[in-house]
Amino acid sequence: MFNTRRAASDPQIQAEMDKASAPWPVLSLSWADRQRSRLAAMLPNGRAVAVILPRGEQMQHGDVLCGDAGERLWIKAAEEEVYQITAHNAFELMRVVYHLANRHVKAMLAADAVYIEPDSVLADMVRGLGAQVEVVQQAFLPEGGAYATGHVHGPDCNHGEHGADHGRGHSHHHHGEDHALSAEDQARGNLGEQLSIAAHARK
C-alpha cells in the first residue's frame, strides 16, 4: 500500500534514486484518477497496488509514492482523449481562453493551442468563436489556478529515466474533500486495501 506522496526533487528521494539498483515502477493515471486520494490500480507488470493518501491529497505528474515497506512508485500522466483547440491567430485563441475561464473550465495551455476535457457543449461554443476543435491523445496537465503552487509541464514534457519527469504539478484543492471522501473514492479505497492484502499474501 502506498500512503505518502513525495516530490521527486525531495533530497531524500533524490538520494534513493541514486542508490536504486533498478528503475522504480511507473503508474500511469488519467487526470481524473490523479485527483483521487484512494485508488486501486494495476501496474504494467500485473502487480495490484493500492493508493491510500490523506483526505484531499491528490497525485501530480512526477510525484513519487512511498509505501510502508520502502516501496517507491512513480506517478505519470497517462495519455487520454482530450480536445485540442486551435485558432487562426493569438487574439482568437486568447478569446477562447477567456470564455473557457469564464466557465471555470480546467484547461492545459500551450503556445499555440488549448487542451480541455471532452465536452460537446464546450466544443460547439469554441467553434462558434471561430476556433477549431480536434480530438487527440494527450497527457492532460491543466493549470491549477492563480493561487496554486508548483510547475506544470506542457504537452512537450519529457519523462526521465524512471518514467516520469522531476517536475511537480499544480496543487488542486477541492473543498468537498476536506470533509469526506466521495462514495466512489471510499469504494476504490476498500478495494485497494483488499488488493494490497492479496498481493502481500502471494509473496
Side-chain angles (χ1 to χ4, degrees):
M1 181 176 70
F2 295 88
N3 53 20
T4 304
R5 181 174 66 93
R6 305 283 288 277
S9 58
D10 185 295
Q12 180 180 336
I13 294 297
Q14 291 283 335
E16 290 180 9
M17 281 194 294
D18 292 339
K19 296 178 181 178
S21 58
W24 295 332
V26 176
L27 178 60
S28 297
L29 297 174
S30 67
W31 181 80
D33 279 341
R34 297 197 307 275
Q35 306 313 294
R36 300 184 181 281
S37 54
R38 296 194 173 192
L39 181 72
M42 196 76 70
L43 296 179
N45 63 7
R47 176 191 169 194
V49 296
V51 177
I52 312 291
L53 297 175
R55 290 184 178 183
E57 191 167 338
Q58 299 155 351
M59 294 170 279
Q60 309 293 338
H61 173 73
D63 277 349
V64 175
L65 300 188
C66 306
D68 289 334
E71 310 98 325
R72 298 293 183 262
L73 177 66
W74 284 105
I75 295 299
K76 175 183 174 182
E79 289 192 354
E80 56 187 300
E81 186 175 287
V82 295
Y83 284 175
Q84 175 183 271
I85 302 170
T86 55
H88 294 103
N89 55 58
F91 174 78
E92 289 186 2
L93 189 60
M94 181 172 63
R95 187 164 173 247
V96 168
V97 172
Y98 170 82
H99 284 280
L100 291 173
N102 196 42
R103 289 162 175 77
H104 304 287
V105 176
K106 289 289 184 182
M108 181 173 73
L109 308 181
D112 56 355
V114 180
Y115 299 83
I116 65 172
E117 293 182 284
D119 185 309
S120 60
V121 173
L122 290 175
D124 288 342
M125 179 199 75
V126 167
R127 292 189 184 101
L129 293 169
Q132 296 77 49
V133 180
E134 181 182 357
V135 179
V136 299
Q137 293 292 319
Q138 170 71 55
F140 187 53
L141 300 165
E143 292 291 319
Y147 298 100
T149 59
H151 175 71
V152 164
H153 292 272
D156 295 325
C157 62
N158 295 317
H159 305 304
E161 61 178 349
H162 289 274
D165 66 44
H166 293 175
R168 295 219 42 209
H170 288 303
S171 174
H172 303 281
H173 183 72
H174 298 275
H175 296 289
E177 290 193 3
D178 287 342
H179 304 289
L181 295 169
S182 69
E184 184 176 1
D185 277 347
Q186 289 181 14
R188 282 172 177 258
N190 292 336
L191 176 60
E193 291 174 356
Q194 294 170 14
L195 286 173
S196 181
I197 292 171
H200 284 291
R202 288 196 297 270
K203 291 183 178 179

